Every structure is written in structure tokens, then in C-alpha cells.
Amino acid sequence: MGVLSDDVVLIQKGTKLGEPCVITVNCPDKTGLGCDICRTILNFGLYITKGDISTDGIWCYIVLWVIPHSSSLIIRWSNLKDRLLSICPPCSVSYCFNQQSDCTAPSPVYLLKFFCLDRKGLLHDVTQVLSELELTIQRVKVTTTPDDRVLDLFFITDNMELLHTKKRQDDTLEQLYAVLGESCISCELQLAGPEYENHQCISSLSPGIAEELFRCELSDKESHSQALSPDMTILKKASVVVDNSLSPVHTLLQIHCVDHKGLVYDILRTLKDCNIKISYGRFSQNTKGYRDLDLFIQQNDGKKIVDPEKQMALCSRLKVEMLHPLRVVISNRGPDTELLVANPVELSGKGRPRVFFDATLALKMLGICIFSVRKHGI
């Protein structure tokens, strides 16, 4: 059993404008592989229109149809292929029958520090450059001075693991200078020191806001600040049906919910963290704003999910993650308005991709100035 390395990940681009690209992954299976692949695809700014997953527990075959979330987005397909290849287990018989958990060393953290004149949209423009360079923002601290200057501290890691080279550093600074322009007073990039640990403590939150941001269950009372309008309340509903009658060895999950950015990733992330294996899955296309997913699953021990309490717990967890993939709270702190965004983190420690990118983009589009920022986690 084996596949040539060039055939492990295949990317077939669409022949017409707007036509989906087809990504095919054919490699040994591992726990959470589908989640890791969808996470990478989301991180590149791509949307999964439909897909199929099939595995026998040893070998996995995945086909995903994807399109960019934005027509202006530049996709580096060769980089995406390299990233997907790095996720896939090696194609060797010995690996297939002797799988071990991944024990990769954490990437070194670098400090990007720049001082410049402030302007609307500056934070997002810098975030976009870092995203295009495949640099992951771990933490951010932004401070605006009374004379309209800004000091930004970005703690970043390199998905390409090349930031230790002079060429990679020079390329990064060059692109940053291009977006900052003449407003840039200084810009530095170096390995992070003790200051990285000093920025880990988050600002204090009131008990009410903390509960709203980090609660694990959906509230039946829509009395909190995230209360939805009547129209949105109708849309923000999900159906998760468990069926054990169609397969002697698998439990079928039938999911119907409103579509949103990263939906497939949110579902597969939840199953991965619950130690649920997908033997076969099909993701349908968006139909009038809704998506349907059929997933044949097993517990980590290879058995069906027959315990009613486990079924209810899994369905409840899926609904929470599908309906509220992000928690957003707006509060007042003196003369300032504070926007708090909490995003889920996998048990592996990886956070949901592009949350900071999307938040800064939304504020830029709304013409809202950002005076101070603290971002923690991935």
C-alpha cells in the first residue's frame, strides 16, 4: 500500500471564473485529520462548497470543492498544497499499523514591533499582510498615543518555519513598509523574549460578561446582549438527528443548519475534541442559506453511540458550536466602547483561524477607529 507523494494532495483549479477548485487528499488516516485539513483551508480564506470523506480507519480519501471567500483574495495554491502535505501522515505501511500521536515542537515566537502615525483601517491592513505571508498572530497589544501615533506589538509564529532566515525577515519587513508607507516611524522584527510571557494575562472581566463569553450551553432566554432579532432567531436554529438503524457498526448524524463561514470546520473540530471518528461523510451545497451534512461516525473504541445521554451531550455540543462559533459582547468602559470576541480553541491548543482578521476587517468597513487592542491565544 502506498501513494506517490505528488498524489497525496491534488488541487484541480476550476476552468471557469467562479468555478470551485477541487482538493483531493489521499493518505493514511489519523484522528482529527479532516478537522486539520478544514482548518488549513479556512486559514487560507477558502470556503468549502461541498465535500466527501471516506476512511476504513487506516486509509483516508477526502474530496473538497472550495472557492475563495472574497474575489479579491490571492490564493497561493502551491503554499496550500505544502501545508496540506505537512498535515498528512507519511505514506508508509509501518505508519498505518503503528500510528502515534503527533509530538511536534512549538514554533518559535517572534515580536513584530512598529511605531507609526495612526489612521483608520491600519490594524486590518497589517493583519492582512501577515495573513498573506502565512504568519499567525498569537498575541497583540495596540496602544494609541494622544498625538495620534500608535505602538503595535504583534507576537507571531511562522507557518512556513522560515522566519529565522534573513530573507524571510527582510521580505516581511518590506511588505509591512509598503502598507505602512511614510507614516511608519520604526519597524522591528526579532525573537520574542520575556515580554511574551508578560502579555499573557488578560484584562479583568465582570462575572456577567465572562459567563456570556465562555458559557458552554445555549441559553433558552435570549435576554443577554447577544439577543437576536426575530428574523435571525428563525435562521439560527440547528437540527441534529442521531440514527442507529441504517448501519450495524456506525451511528449516522444528520445535521441541518444555517450556513456560516467555517461551518464544516466547526463541526469536525467538535467531533475531534469529543474523540469521535468519521468513517464516511458528505457535505451538501448551500441551499437557501442552509447546509446538510450526513456523517457516519464511531466512538474512539470503534463502537456506535447507543447511550442516550452520550447522544444528547454530543447533539447539544454540536448545536452550541454551530450556532455560536464566536461569542461577541459589546460593553462600555467609561468613555470607550469595548468589543470582546471569544473564539473556540481545540484541545490541541489551536484557535479558530482568521477571527482577528475578520474582526478588524468588519471594524474597518464600518469606519470604526481602534484605540487599544489586546488579543490573546491563537
Side-chain angles (χ1 to χ4, degrees), residues 49 75 234 284-285 347:
T49 62
I75 305 297
I234 295 175
S284 70
Q285 297 186 56
L347 292 180

Side-chain angles (χ1 to χ4, degrees), residues 18-314:
E19 190 174 73
C21 297
V22 182
I23 299 176
T24 304
V25 180
N26 183 20
C27 68
D29 196 15
K30 70 172 182 178
T31 303
L33 177 61
C35 168
D36 296 342
I37 289 173
C38 290
R39 184 183 194 280
T40 300
I41 289 173
L42 177 60
N43 205 18
F44 272 75
L46 294 169
Y47 167 76
I48 299 173
T49 62
K50 63 177 182 177
D52 285 286
I53 296 179
S54 180
T55 177
D56 58 3
I58 297 176
W59 206 264
C60 184
Y61 188 72
I62 299 175
V63 184
L64 301 172
W65 286 258
V66 302
I67 57 174
H69 275 286
S70 170
S71 58
S72 62
L73 194 64
I74 299 174
I75 305 297
R76 294 179 170 85
W77 295 103
S78 60
N79 290 9
L80 173 60
K81 181 174 181 176
D82 290 340
R83 288 283 303 282
L84 291 174
L85 282 170
S86 69
I87 293 171
C88 297
C91 296
S92 63
V93 176
S94 60
Y95 177 87
C96 297
F97 293 97
N98 186 29
Q99 295 189 31
Q100 298 179 353
S101 59
D102 296 333
C103 297
T104 56
S107 298
V109 179
Y110 288 80
L111 170 61
L112 170 65
K113 177 169 59 176
F114 64 87
F115 186 53
C116 66
L117 300 179
D118 195 16
R119 61 173 171 79
K120 288 183 180 180
L122 173 66
L123 186 58
H124 176 72
D125 293 344
V126 173
T127 302
Q128 183 171 357
V129 170
L130 298 179
S131 175
E132 291 173 352
L133 289 169
E134 295 190 59
L135 299 171
T136 299
I137 301 172
Q138 305 290 347
R139 291 186 176 87
V140 176
K141 182 179 180 181
V142 174
T143 304
T144 304
T145 64
D147 59 349
D148 289 331
R149 300 188 181 194
V150 62
L151 174 63
D152 287 7
L153 303 179
F154 284 79
F155 295 94
I156 59 178
T157 53
D158 186 6
N159 295 331
M160 298 173 67
E161 301 289 353
L162 293 173
L163 204 51
H164 62 282
T165 65
K166 185 177 185 303
K167 183 179 185 307
R168 178 72 160 155
Q169 293 186 12
D170 289 344
D171 289 344
T172 299
L173 292 175
E174 181 181 348
Q175 294 203 38
L176 285 168
Y177 277 122
V179 73
L180 294 174
E182 296 181 355
S183 65
C184 183
I185 300 171
S186 66
C187 187
E188 303 173 6
L189 178 61
Q190 62 191 37
L191 269 172
E195 65 269 22
Y196 178 63
E197 300 299 329
N198 295 338
H199 284 88
Q200 292 200 42
C201 297
I202 64 173
S203 58
S204 59
L205 299 175
S206 68
I209 291 178
E211 191 276 335
E212 187 168 345
L213 282 173
F214 303 114
R215 59 193 166 86
C216 298
E217 297 179 356
L218 290 173
S219 173
D220 293 329
K221 302 176 182 179
E222 294 291 342
S223 58
H224 45 72
S225 62
Q226 290 184 189
L228 301 173
S229 66
D231 290 339
M232 285 301 297
T233 301
I234 295 175
L235 285 176
K236 296 291 281 186
K237 290 184 178 180
S239 170
V240 182
V241 178
V242 177
D243 190 340
N244 278 314
S245 64
L246 295 180
S247 171
V249 293
H250 298 99
T251 294
L252 171 62
L253 276 184
Q254 294 178 302
I255 299 172
H256 176 77
C257 67
V258 66
D259 196 11
H260 67 250
K261 185 176 184 178
L263 173 65
V264 176
Y265 165 72
D266 289 326
I267 293 173
L268 299 192
R269 166 181 56 80
T270 304
L271 296 178
K272 175 184 177 181
D273 286 350
C274 292
N275 285 320
I276 300 297
K277 300 188 296 184
I278 301 175
S279 297
Y280 175 77
R282 172 162 290 180
F283 321 135
S284 70
Q285 297 186 56
N286 181 311
T287 303
K288 296 182 179 180
Y290 285 86
R291 295 288 290 270
D292 289 292
L293 294 89
D294 294 322
L295 305 173
F296 286 86
I297 62 173
Q298 292 178 328
Q299 298 181 98
N300 206 34
D301 58 6
K303 298 180 180 179
K304 300 168 68 171
I305 306 175
V306 295
D307 185 339
E309 291 187 2
K310 289 184 178 180
Q311 293 178 3
M312 289 183 61
L314 178 60

